[in-house]
Amino acid sequence: MSMQENYHLLVESIQDYAIYMLDPLGHVLTWNVGAQRSKGYQEAEVIGTHFSRFFTEEDRATGKPGAELRAALEQGRYEEEGWRTRKDGSRFWANVILTPLYSPAREHIGYAKITRDLTEKRRSEELYQLLVSQVKEYALFMLDEGGHILTWNEGAGRIKGYTAPEIIGKHFSIFYTPEDLAAGKPAMELDVAVKAGKYEEEGWRLRKDGSRFWANVVISPIYKDGHIGFAKVTRDLTKRRELDRVTQANRILEASNKELERFAAIASHDLKEPLRKIRMNAERVLGDVQHPLSEQQQVALSKIYGACGRMATLIDDVLQFSTLSQADHFEPYSLQGVLADVEVLLEQTISEKGAVIECTGLPVLLMVPAQMRQLFQNLVSNALKFSRKEERPLLTITQRIVKGADVSESGLWPAEEYLELRFRDNGIGFPQEAAEKIFNLFDRLHNKDAYEGTGLGLAICRKIVENHGGVISARSAPGQGAEFRILLPA
């Protein structure tokens, strides 16, 4: 068998490729098994017909078949991927190569045409692209060799805040903090990824609005006939990091519980027991009708009895303040429910004073419910206690969410967003220069005879707010009421 016959047999037997010859005008001259299999035509049906029958109507209308023949003749070869049609009218995605053929005398005698059905490959690629584009929990995108963004999925848009038209073509260093940019971190990460085959870390990244989020980042080099770029996967772990911090705080608080509980038990007994005996004996002497006291003695003993009561209250407040650090575990709880509990506890005082509490809907927050209840109780009690006699007390509680990037206060736990609470009353107020002093232990602005209390209520408020990673401040003027502003991680 001659070499030409062997070659003809080889071409005829190939089933995965349509291999056939066209004359100079584009008419089909030969037909192999692969062409019959992919296009559906028998050899007798197609020989002599023009190859334009394999094109879609749209491509025929634009003169694409003739354009391909001219391009192959002018350039020596034509290759593309596009839609072609089968005998039954169905479409398939094809890789097409068209090469001009010449006789030994360099006379153009036609074209060799090779077509491969890539429909399944294209479908797989489309499904993969659809999967990548619609994943919302991960930012999945590709970089070129220099770190410029080539692709962008829905998750990337959700996490980083950019749309595809805004970000494609930009350098990926746009996501890095000023500190990391100054340290050359973006370039270092790409270098490590190429040398080690992968780069992975957790760290701060920036969104479009300038806010920071804690990210898990994986960068992998991509190769196709050499290094062509990088695949980058980013996941927002801000909430997980905040939860880890809360868990760590709980462990620390739990470790101190036993020692503090022991101190509270000893203090409660050793400090309050003598007072209890003094009060009990004073009460017994005051009630002894068989040995009546003079009026002066009764007044003195009554003062002792009252002082013991105030001392017992003070001890209770000091113990409460000292044990705030042994907080129970944090849990999601409704602030609206906390306020409802406090209104029940203070129902009698609210009713006696005719007080009004106005409040917008308060959200659920990660908190120690008992402490938050004490915070609200102290602030509401303050509004009731320091109200003006000629006006019914009015306390307005408002809330809003503040972005972390817009918060400048120090001492806050890191968070993406913060809850701002404002307690505004119409009471007697106080000088603004005392706004910090009122949170100190035992500091009082008013005589204890005019307003009862131990001077610990607002110190306890600050301690509770700090236990929750927040800050509290006050603003007021005499006769103008007071406003307490609280920021807490949302």
Side-chain angles (χ1 to χ4, degrees):
M1 188 178 291
S2 67
M3 184 179 295
Q4 185 175 357
E5 289 174 327
N6 283 334
Y7 178 74
H8 179 74
L9 183 61
L10 173 66
V11 170
E12 283 296 309
S13 63
I14 291 175
Q15 297 185 18
D16 292 329
Y17 292 81
I19 303 175
Y20 54 99
M21 182 177 173
L22 307 176
D23 68 15
L25 298 179
H27 297 93
V28 179
L29 297 177
T30 65
W31 199 245
N32 79 329
V33 174
Q36 178 181 324
R37 181 171 172 268
S38 64
K39 297 178 184 290
Y41 292 94
Q42 298 294 324
E43 183 176 8
E45 293 177 299
V46 78
I47 295 293
T49 63
H50 198 269
F51 88 118
S52 60
R53 72 189 305 169
F54 309 132
F55 287 73
T56 64
E57 290 183 10
E58 307 94 271
D59 287 346
R60 286 199 297 270
T62 59
K64 187 168 173 48
E68 289 188 6
L69 295 180
R70 290 191 295 274
L73 202 57
E74 292 169 4
Q75 301 168 15
R77 184 174 186 268
Y78 176 82
E79 183 174 1
E80 72 148 8
E81 287 189 10
W83 291 110
R84 294 296 186 270
T85 59
R86 298 186 180 90
K87 177 183 176 180
D88 62 8
S90 63
R91 296 187 176 199
F92 67 99
W93 188 258
N95 172 263
V96 176
I97 300 175
L98 194 62
T99 307
L101 299 175
Y102 297 91
S103 68
R106 299 299 301 164
E107 177 187 358
H108 178 224
I109 58 174
Y111 301 87
K113 194 164 189 297
I114 303 174
T115 304
R116 187 181 183 189
D117 185 351
L118 297 180
T119 307
E120 289 302 320
K121 178 174 176 287
R122 177 181 169 82
R123 183 177 291 115
S124 296
E125 290 175 349
E126 287 177 340
L127 289 173
Y128 176 75
Q129 290 172 1
L130 184 65
L131 172 66
V132 169
S133 67
Q134 294 190 6
V135 168
K136 297 180 181 180
E137 299 302 318
Y138 293 83
L140 307 173
F141 54 98
M142 185 175 173
L143 309 175
D144 65 15
E145 292 176 88
H148 298 91
I149 298 163
L150 300 176
T151 65
W152 197 245
N153 79 323
E154 186 176 347
R158 188 184 68 83
I159 293 172
K160 298 176 183 286
Y162 294 91
T163 63
E166 288 177 318
I167 199 65
I168 287 179
K170 299 284 182 66
H171 197 268
F172 85 116
S173 58
I174 195 172
F175 308 130
Y176 287 72
T177 63
E179 312 90 81
D180 287 346
L181 290 175
K185 202 167 190 300
M188 178 275 292
E189 291 183 2
L190 297 184
D191 185 56
V192 171
V194 171
K195 292 178 179 177
K198 177 185 177 184
Y199 176 84
E200 183 171 4
E201 71 146 9
E202 288 189 10
W204 291 112
R205 294 295 186 271
L206 296 181
R207 297 187 179 88
K208 179 184 175 181
D209 62 7
S211 62
R212 298 187 177 204
F213 67 99
W214 188 258
N216 172 265
V217 176
V218 179
I219 302 176
S220 304
I222 300 174
Y223 296 92
K224 184 179 181 182
D225 300 326
H227 180 221
I228 63 170
F230 301 88
K232 193 166 188 291
V233 182
T234 303
R235 188 179 184 191
D236 185 353
L237 297 181
T238 308
K239 291 190 182 299
R240 192 205 71 179
R241 184 171 187 266
E242 291 172 6
L243 184 60
D244 288 345
R245 290 173 65 86
V246 170
T247 302
Q248 184 180 7
N250 276 331
R251 290 197 189 102
I252 295 171
L253 291 170
E254 189 174 356
S256 66
N257 272 357
K258 289 185 178 180
E259 187 62 29
L260 287 168
E261 285 171 3
R262 193 172 75 87
F263 165 78
I266 293 172
S268 178
H269 182 271
D270 290 357
L271 294 177
K272 293 179 72 176
E273 182 59 22
L275 287 174
R276 189 184 67 81
K277 289 181 178 179
I278 293 172
R279 290 191 74 185
M280 182 180 68
N281 288 313
E283 188 175 5
R284 182 181 300 164
V285 172
L286 285 170
D288 188 353
V289 294
Q290 293 183 359
H291 303 88
L293 301 174
S294 67
E295 184 178 344
Q296 187 177 4
Q297 289 173 324
Q298 288 182 1
V299 170
L301 203 56
S302 294
K303 287 183 177 180
I304 292 173
Y305 184 83
C308 287
R310 288 192 295 275
M311 190 64 183
T313 301
L314 178 60
I315 291 171
D316 285 338
D317 284 352
V318 171
L319 288 174
Q320 183 183 30
F321 182 83
S322 68
T323 56
L324 279 174
S325 297
Q326 61 171 302
D328 294 328
H329 289 293
F330 284 71
E331 61 181 89
Y333 199 86
S334 168
L335 281 174
Q336 197 68 44
V338 167
L339 179 60
D341 293 342
V342 170
E343 287 177 321
V344 171
L345 286 169
L346 301 176
E347 182 178 7
Q348 183 175 345
T349 308
I350 293 172
S351 177
E352 289 173 353
K353 288 181 171 282
V356 176
I357 299 177
E358 296 178 347
C359 178
T360 57
L362 298 177
V364 171
L365 194 69
L366 196 65
M367 67 172 87
V368 180
Q371 287 194 15
M372 196 60 64
R373 198 174 290 113
Q374 186 65 56
L375 170 68
F376 272 55
Q377 182 176 339
N378 287 5
L379 291 175
V380 173
S381 295
N382 254 31
L384 298 173
K385 182 195 302 183
F386 297 108
S387 59
R388 288 182 283 182
K389 294 181 180 179
E390 70 278 6
E391 191 171 352
R392 71 189 307 184
L394 172 63
L395 175 63
T396 303
I397 305 173
T398 60
Q399 61 89 16
R400 70 182 181 114
I401 294 296
V402 182
K403 289 190 176 296
D406 299 330
V407 172
S408 58
E409 283 84 352
S410 60
L412 289 163
W413 287 355
E416 186 178 345
E417 294 179 331
Y418 293 89
L419 174 67
E420 180 189 77
L421 296 172
R422 290 180 185 266
F423 290 72
R424 173 75 185 174
D425 65 52
N426 63 343
I428 62 173
F430 54 83
Q432 183 59 35
E433 54 267 26
E436 186 61 30
K437 178 183 177 182
I438 60 175
F439 293 105
N440 295 337
L441 287 168
F442 306 114
D443 270 347
R444 300 173 57 94
L445 300 183
H446 306 282
N447 187 287
K448 62 177 180 294
D449 294 327
Y451 296 97
E452 62 179 17
T454 60
L456 283 170
L458 289 176
I460 289 172
C461 287
R462 170 167 281 181
K463 183 69 173 175
I464 291 171
V465 171
E466 289 175 350
N467 282 352
H468 288 75
V471 294
I472 183 172
S473 59
R475 186 175 63 182
S476 184
Q480 300 298 314
E483 181 180 80
F484 292 89
R485 177 177 179 260
I486 299 169
L487 277 176
L488 297 167

